[in-house]
């Protein structure tokens, strides 16, 4: 029986929960994409971006202050996602959903869950492949990324809106912007009715997303966490598995399928 390096007293209970769980919510953050080569928010920023904190770039004020700097950052990140492959963690989650009711709620703006085969994915913070006019909101069709994903990116003037000449911005949720209402309501409802919440690769620092595990806990769902480091969610989680998504998830799904 895989102990997942948990305390021995917790192992039988964890396996029983994995085998019994029928309505599973997988809540992911940037750590779920780390083994695909996508830097997390906590990783030091590289190149042009190393002097900036994500909290300063991922805001409407930051974009208006220096549109080329922020747009270039997203174009570099979009190129890295397009050049990346889903990792074993993404693929294990998609495989699990073939035989169980598994929904992914992700804070990530990449499409790696979908490319691994997950079809029920809720994006709380939008998508790096969407873009729209900052002023009138008109959708904008992004061309294939032109930035060298292996490089460190550079400032890039955003295109202009054909309808109103406004600046085109990434279709992500920035700090101090509201989350998409429909996705948020669905995420809360899923966490209220889940019989297992699995948190993977999130520092649990950004709200309201970071409040979802609390919603599940209050509804009585067991909470498991996969993270190589301790996070703010450790105190809430019933099972804290120290490890990476790519290594732990295939083992966890194998244990769940024994049921
Ligand atoms: C809002 C999209 C209403 C853009 C992102 C309540 C309390 C305190 C603050 C607030 C609050 N309510 C609102 C706020 C303000 C703010 C906030 O929470 N600030 C924080 C800094 C305190 N929240 C907001 O502004 C939100 N909006 O509340 O609207 C409103 C309206 C008007 C005015 C005020 C409020 C909107 C927040 C959304 C911001 N957008 N992303 C983009 O991608 O550029 S946030 C971004 O950072 C992510 O999406 C994620 O949500 C967040 C944190 O990132 P993580 O995913 O957790 O990743 P991180 O790098 O932090 O950690 C990685 C983890 O993985 C680590 O633990 C690491 O150990 C682990 N790891 C590493 N490798 C692996 C691994 N794990 C597994 N396997 C591995 N291999
Ligand atoms: Zn416009």
């Amino acid at each position: 029986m895989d102990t997942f390096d948990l305390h021995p007293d917790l192992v039988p209970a964890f396996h029983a929960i994995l085998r019994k769980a029928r309505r599973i919510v997988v809540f992911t953050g940037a750590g779920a994409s780390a083994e695909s080569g996508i830097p997390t928010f906590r990783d030091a920023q590289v190149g042009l971006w190393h002097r900036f904190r994500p909290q300063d770039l991922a805001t409407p004020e930051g974009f208006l202050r220096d549109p080329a700097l922020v747009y270039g950052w997203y174009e570099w990140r979009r190129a890295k996602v397009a050049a990346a492959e889903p990792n074993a963690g993404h693929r294990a989650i998609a495989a699990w959903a073939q035989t169980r009711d598994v929904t992914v709620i992700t804070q990530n703006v990449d499409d790696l869950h979908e490319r691994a085969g997950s079809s029920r994915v809720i994006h709380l913070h939008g998508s790096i492949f969407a873009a729209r006019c900052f002023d009138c909101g008109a959708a904008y069709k992004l061309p294939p990324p032109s930035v060298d994903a292996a490089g460190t990116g550079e400032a890039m003037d955003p295109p202009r809106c054909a309808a109103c000449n406004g600046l085109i911005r990434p279709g992500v949720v920035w700090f101090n912007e509201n989350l998409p209402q429909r996705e948020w309501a669905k995420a809360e409802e899923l966490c209220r009715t889940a019989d297992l919440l699995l948190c993977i690769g999130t520092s649990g620092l950004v709200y309201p997303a970071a409040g979802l595990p609390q919603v599940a806990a209050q509804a009585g769902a067991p909470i498991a966490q996969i993270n190589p480091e301790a996070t703010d969610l450790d105190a809430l989680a019933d099972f804290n598995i120290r490890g990476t998504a790519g290594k732990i998830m295939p083992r966890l799904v194998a244990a769940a399928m024994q049921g």
Side-chain angles (χ1 to χ4, degrees):
M1 185 182 263
D2 195 329
T3 64
F4 296 102
D5 300 331
L6 288 168
H7 186 283
D9 296 353
L10 291 176
V11 175
F14 185 54
H15 276 266
I17 286 167
L18 285 181
R19 283 198 303 272
K20 266 207 329 277
R22 289 292 175 272
R23 285 185 316 284
I24 299 147
V25 171
V26 179
F27 176 54
T28 62
S33 299
E35 285 153 288
S36 298
I38 306 298
T40 71
F41 283 83
R42 294 158 57 89
D43 288 338
Q45 297 293 331
V46 295
L48 184 63
W49 331 110
H50 79 283
R51 282 176 292 120
F52 300 94
R53 294 183 321 148
Q55 285 90 316
D56 302 325
L57 295 173
T59 64
E61 301 76 19
F63 178 69
L64 292 178
R65 193 170 37 248
D66 190 338
L69 177 79
V70 174
Y71 194 79
W73 184 50
Y74 280 92
E75 279 300 279
W76 173 66
R77 288 174 59 195
R78 184 164 73 99
K80 284 190 86 65
V81 171
E85 288 301 325
N87 62 59
H90 294 113
R91 289 197 300 274
I93 294 165
W96 201 8
Q98 296 302 313
T99 62
R100 291 282 189 287
D101 170 1
V102 175
T103 307
V104 177
I105 298 174
T106 188
Q107 302 168 83
N108 299 338
V109 294
D110 65 50
D111 61 349
L112 296 174
H113 282 299
E114 289 87 346
R115 281 166 53 200
S118 288
S119 53
R120 287 166 46 197
V121 182
I122 295 174
H123 283 268
L124 295 178
H125 294 157
S127 165
I128 203 160
F129 292 99
R132 64 174 189 269
C133 173
F134 189 91
D135 293 334
C136 75
Y140 179 83
K141 182 146 178 39
L142 287 166
S146 57
V147 171
D148 166 21
T152 53
E154 68 272 322
M156 188 183 286
D157 285 328
R160 290 276 174 173
C161 169
C164 76
N165 201 39
L167 292 168
I168 297 302
R169 58 158 288 173
V172 301
V173 178
W174 278 329
F175 288 97
N176 293 333
E177 289 189 325
N178 283 312
L179 274 62
Q181 199 35 46
R182 205 167 48 82
E183 283 78 0
W184 177 250
K186 184 75 189 137
E188 274 195 312
E189 189 238 324
L190 282 164
C191 287
R192 268 198 287 273
T193 54
D195 54 17
L196 172 59
L197 175 74
L198 181 58
C199 304
I200 306 176
T202 182
S203 55
L205 295 173
V206 173
Y207 287 83
L212 286 173
Q214 183 66 34
V215 170
Q218 256 146 18
I223 315 276
Q225 182 181 209
I226 297 172
N227 198 311
E229 292 172 18
T231 75
D232 273 22
L233 296 174
D234 277 36
L236 188 69
D238 304 288
F239 308 97
N240 280 305
I241 300 171
R242 285 279 172 273
T244 68
K247 292 214 173 39
I248 301 292
M249 271 316 291
R251 290 164 47 192
L252 185 143
V253 173
M257 307 297 242
Q258 270 155 19

